[in-house]
Amino acid sequence: METIGVIGIGNPAQQDDGIGVWLVEDLMQKTWSPEFEFVSLGPRAHEISHYMAGKEVLIIVDAFDGGLDPGTVFFIDYPELLNIVNRKRFIKRPNISIHDASFGYWLSVGFFAGFSPKVFFIGVQSATLGFGYGLSPHLQSSFPCLVLKVKSLIRDICEGKCIAERKGESHDGYVELNQVQDEAE
């Protein structure tokens, strides 16, 4: 049986930056099969490598700023995540997450330590990242819909549907990496 880790990252004291934490904490309240492990790391991205041990799949949920409509759900796999983080060093690209460098670094540490899960990033377009506890009014109102989208996307990833069937397309509010890149250029 595969073990699937779902990690929420973000700072709830910076409004929409906490969306990964809020989503994962909501998902923890639902009934999932025993192979799922949900963890809310908050802003402690440095702990990601610890949670890679024993996982076949690792799903990271966080806020991002890709210049899209607030509440848009976005996903990429780990190789694409590394590509976009590396390209950002040389040319201006949209921020995938304010934790780009930190969680990318700690994932690398986990891989060097011998852990090898398949890694996916699920991002939610933020409306604001200003100081203040809780989500912006826009993400508060769309939160139930976001929970459903993320839950569905997690299931699709686990069933192998995401990359094969959704590549380059927008379905049910999901946006794949290529669409964000094309709009940013």
Side-chain angles (χ1 to χ4, degrees):
M1 178 185 299
E2 288 187 358
T3 303
I4 301 155
V6 182
I7 296 177
I9 297 176
N11 186 346
Q14 286 188 275
Q15 293 181 320
D16 293 348
D17 184 46
I19 190 68
V21 171
W22 300 117
L23 285 167
V24 167
E25 287 180 359
D26 187 84
L27 293 170
M28 291 167 131
Q29 305 305 312
K30 312 227 183 311
T31 302
W32 292 83
S33 56
E35 68 266 16
F36 282 91
E37 178 185 0
F38 289 86
V39 177
S40 176
L41 288 182
R44 301 180 324 270
H46 63 279
E47 294 182 22
I48 288 175
S49 55
H50 169 74
Y51 290 99
M52 293 173 73
K55 304 294 185 298
E56 296 292 324
V57 176
L58 187 67
I59 301 167
I60 300 167
V61 184
D62 196 4
F64 83 103
D65 183 10
L68 301 173
D69 293 332
T72 302
V73 178
F74 171 92
F75 74 97
I76 57 175
D77 60 12
Y78 183 67
E80 286 297 320
L81 177 62
L82 283 182
N83 286 338
I84 201 166
V85 170
N86 285 333
R87 279 193 306 254
K88 280 177 57 180
R89 293 180 185 154
F90 303 106
I91 56 176
K92 184 169 176 47
R93 291 282 182 202
N95 290 330
I96 297 304
S97 161
I98 67 167
H99 307 282
D100 274 352
S102 60
F103 77 65
Y105 172 79
W106 292 109
L107 284 169
S108 297
V109 168
F111 284 119
F112 284 125
F115 308 133
S116 58
K118 188 170 187 176
V119 177
F120 293 93
F121 172 79
I122 297 175
V124 178
Q125 174 67 51
S126 59
T128 183
L129 299 174
F131 287 104
Y133 193 76
L135 298 174
S136 67
H138 184 84
L139 289 192
Q140 282 178 8
S141 66
S142 62
F143 191 79
C145 182
L146 292 173
V147 170
L148 292 175
K149 287 179 185 179
V150 170
K151 188 175 180 180
S152 175
L153 188 53
I154 289 170
R155 286 198 174 126
D156 287 353
I157 289 169
C158 295
E159 294 172 3
K161 292 180 183 177
C162 273
I163 302 306
E165 294 176 13
R166 296 182 187 236
K167 198 72 171 169
E169 301 177 22
S170 178
H171 296 271
D172 303 323
Y174 305 125
V175 177
E176 200 270 332
L177 171 67
N178 295 338
Q179 290 174 301
V180 173
Q181 287 181 333
D182 292 344
E183 291 174 18
E185 295 178 324

